[in-house]
Amino acid sequence: MVRVAGRDRSRTRAMSTLLHGNEPSGLFALHRWLLEQHTPEVNMVFLLGGVYPAKIPPMLSLRQLPDGLDLNRCFKEPFDGEEGAIAQAMLAELRKAKPECLLDVHNTSGTGPAFAVTITNDAAHQALTSLYTDRLIMTDLRLGALMEYSEQEVPTVTIECGGSQDEQAHQLAYEGLVRYTSRPDVLSLEKAEWDVAVLRNPIRVELDPEATIEYRLEPSGHADLTFPPDIEHRNFGVVSPDEPLGWIGDKGLGILTAISHNRAEDVEQVLQVKDGQIYPAQDIKAFMITTNPVIAKSDCLFYAVKATGEPIF
């Protein structure tokens, strides 16, 4: 944890980053900001979560410890394992600091434009989003993520800066941090620099843990699901039902689950199969698409909403 005193000592803002050890943009931004010796407008508390996996060689390459838990799924009881203890300690520090708002800065699991995620859509959350991006995902799905701290009546937003290897993502993380720390008011939408487009309750498409996935220009015949290597270029683009996403094996859509914010499941409203290829079942906007097979299996394949930005179901 890093504390920096602000001009106004009566107020505090918080930022967490590196919850995943392979998502360095927030860390790079904080390091640069500290070296430049900025004096923030209010007191700042910075929390670094996934230090242990980040330090394992090659540094900043592991999302979580081998056989460890995803830290950003541990911010709820029963706080299991080492990750649960870290999450519980971070929450204790936040309760002690009593920040007026909290940002959780990440990188996306694939290349793509920046966006924000929150469980609350109001002026304060849109204003925080606008420090970094003009895209906001609002979800009612609860996974034990730190952004659910918003339920403590503290405006909380997750910022996904873009790919972990993208210099543009590192720069965005820094510029957003400067805005976050230098402005007297970051919770007023009237002060926002751009309009925020809100996408509501995306569907989370998950791959069965026992299924296999490959990223190839054409299927090898050995995988249950094959995506092309450039599938990340679909992020935040509209994909129509006549545009193939990839290839499905003999097990068909049974290897996939599409989960809504209310835990309803209906993959056939999201995807369909024609002649061995997988297509959207309707016009969709997909994001968080990754070409990392480990993340595709341990987290999710992607999220999706209707092309209009509304929930699919």
Side-chain angles (χ1 to χ4, degrees):
M1 182 179 65
V2 179
R3 295 180 182 271
V4 181
R7 294 183 182 90
D8 182 349
R9 303 293 178 90
S10 69
R11 299 159 56 199
T12 299
R13 295 173 194 159
M15 187 187 96
S16 66
T17 195
L18 205 69
L19 291 193
H20 297 133
N22 62 344
E23 299 178 6
S25 286
L27 174 65
F28 293 163
L30 175 57
H31 183 251
R32 177 178 169 184
W33 185 86
L34 290 171
L35 287 177
E36 292 173 350
Q37 299 185 343
H38 293 261
T39 300
E41 186 65 27
V42 304
N43 297 330
M44 294 299 306
V45 173
F46 299 99
L47 302 170
L48 303 173
V51 174
Y52 295 135
K55 291 171 67 175
I56 295 175
M59 290 180 62
L60 300 172
S61 65
L62 288 182
R63 180 180 177 89
Q64 60 207 57
L65 290 173
D67 300 321
L69 301 173
D70 184 333
L71 176 58
N72 206 28
R73 298 294 179 267
C74 294
F75 289 92
K76 62 178 180 180
E77 294 182 343
F79 299 110
D80 289 332
E82 185 174 292
E83 293 82 5
I86 292 171
Q88 193 170 25
M90 291 176 66
L91 291 174
E93 291 295 341
L94 287 170
R95 285 191 289 270
K96 188 187 305 181
K98 298 179 180 177
E100 62 187 19
C101 49
L102 167 63
L103 291 182
D104 182 26
V105 180
H106 289 254
N107 288 105
T108 54
S109 51
T111 298
F115 62 96
V117 190
T118 182
I119 62 171
T120 306
N121 176 30
D122 60 17
H125 288 80
Q126 289 190 27
L128 286 171
T129 295
S130 73
L131 297 171
Y132 289 79
T133 178
D134 61 355
R135 298 180 183 89
L136 175 61
I137 312 299
M138 194 284 291
T139 179
D140 291 328
L141 189 62
R142 301 293 184 268
L143 298 171
L146 179 56
M147 72 174 177
E148 291 158 28
Y149 194 69
S150 185
E151 292 178 325
Q152 307 296 319
E153 298 183 0
V154 176
T156 304
V157 174
T158 293
I159 303 294
E160 300 279 357
C161 292
S164 62
Q165 305 301 313
D166 297 346
E167 196 60 41
Q168 184 177 356
H170 306 333
Q171 183 65 22
L172 175 65
Y174 170 76
E175 292 174 355
L177 175 58
V178 170
R179 286 189 282 265
Y180 185 48
T181 57
S182 64
R183 296 183 179 179
D185 184 3
V186 295
L187 297 177
S188 172
L189 193 58
E190 294 178 0
K191 307 287 178 60
E193 293 186 351
W194 47 51
D195 292 331
V196 175
V198 181
L199 308 180
R200 303 173 190 277
N201 282 324
I203 301 303
R204 178 181 167 92
V205 180
E206 297 181 356
L207 181 65
D208 188 289
E210 303 303 317
T212 55
I213 183 171
E214 293 180 342
Y215 296 89
R216 300 169 57 94
L217 291 174
E218 56 184 39
S220 67
H222 303 301
D224 297 314
L225 179 65
T226 304
F227 279 157
D230 63 352
I231 187 71
E232 292 174 316
H233 295 158
R234 297 288 195 181
N235 277 316
F236 282 101
V238 174
V239 190
S240 69
D242 59 358
E243 295 179 86
L245 291 169
W247 299 266
I248 199 82
D250 294 337
K251 297 176 183 177
L253 292 179
I255 63 168
L256 300 175
T257 306
I259 305 171
S260 74
H261 63 284
N262 56 13
R263 295 288 177 177
E265 299 182 14
D266 191 351
V267 72
E268 293 183 353
Q269 288 200 49
V270 186
L271 300 169
Q272 59 181 328
V273 176
K274 294 185 288 188
D275 299 324
Q277 289 187 287
I278 190 168
Y279 294 80
Q282 56 183 294
D283 289 340
I284 64 170
K285 184 174 292 186
F287 52 95
M288 287 291 279
I289 304 172
T290 179
T291 55
N292 184 324
V294 175
I295 294 176
K297 292 184 67 171
S298 66
D299 190 24
C300 72
L301 279 175
F302 60 86
Y303 289 83
V305 293
K306 290 183 178 181
T308 59
E310 294 302 308
I312 292 177
F313 61 88

